[in-house]
């Protein structure tokens, strides 16, 4: 199993970024996929998840209305579109696969995640 995130960087407040996660080594379409983030000195925070076909997503209240999750199953790729970014969104962002492939939400057991991509929101 391999998950490789990309697309992070330094952005000004109210800016946008789109993160990508390229998945390989497993049947991508069989899994709900998740984004989590971790800010310095804090524990992991669930950002959101998306179902197998990409028709339903669930987003944390802290980013609802600003972040959107999508997936392209033909490309085995997961996305996180982040708009109206705030300094408190600064974190390392990871895509992750759950232990139980249908599960999602805070506290979900995750068995694989990528190396992460850093997002820094600062003026």
């Amino acid at each position: 199993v391999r998950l490789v995130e990309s697309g992070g960087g330094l952005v000004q407040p109210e800016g946008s970024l789109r993160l990508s996660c390229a998945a390989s080594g497993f049947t991508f379409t069989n899994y709900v996929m998740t984004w989590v983030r971790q800010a310095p000195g804090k524990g992991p925070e669930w950002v959101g998840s998306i179902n197998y076909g990409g028709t339903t997503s669930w987003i944390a209240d802290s980013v609802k209305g600003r972040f959107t999750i999508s997936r392209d199953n033909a490309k085995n790729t997961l996305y996180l579109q982040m708009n109206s970014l705030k300094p408190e969104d600064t974190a390392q962002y990871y895509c992750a696969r759950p232990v139980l492939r249908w599960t999602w939400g805070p506290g979900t057991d995750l068995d694989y995640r990528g190396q992460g991509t850093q997002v820094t929101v600062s003026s």
Side-chain angles (χ1 to χ4, degrees):
V1 173
R2 191 167 185 226
L3 300 168
V4 180
E5 301 92 340
S6 61
L10 174 64
V11 62
Q12 293 187 342
E14 295 303 313
S16 297
L17 282 175
R18 188 175 85 151
L19 307 184
S20 300
C21 171
S24 61
F26 67 103
T27 304
F28 185 64
T29 53
N30 283 358
Y31 284 81
V32 170
M33 292 298 295
T34 287
W35 285 98
V36 296
R37 67 185 182 183
Q38 187 162 11
K42 296 186 177 181
E45 177 188 9
W46 174 75
V47 175
S49 301
I50 189 166
N51 72 343
Y52 316 116
T55 56
T56 301
S57 62
W58 307 273
I59 301 291
D61 287 344
S62 59
V63 302
K64 193 170 290 183
R66 301 187 296 120
F67 289 14
T68 304
I69 295 177
S70 61
R71 65 193 294 168
D72 185 336
N73 286 339
K75 297 181 178 179
N76 282 5
T77 302
L78 179 71
Y79 301 100
L80 180 66
Q81 177 67 45
M82 305 185 296
N83 299 327
S84 301
L85 283 159
K86 303 176 181 181
E88 52 263 43
D89 295 318
T90 295
Q92 188 84 350
Y93 283 73
Y94 303 89
C95 67
R97 191 187 84 163
V99 172
L100 298 176
R101 59 185 182 86
W102 59 87
T103 54
W104 59 275
T108 298
D109 289 330
L110 304 169
D111 60 357
Y112 289 96
R113 71 179 192 182
Q115 83 291 345
T117 187
Q118 177 67 35
V119 172
T120 302
V121 185
S122 175
S123 55

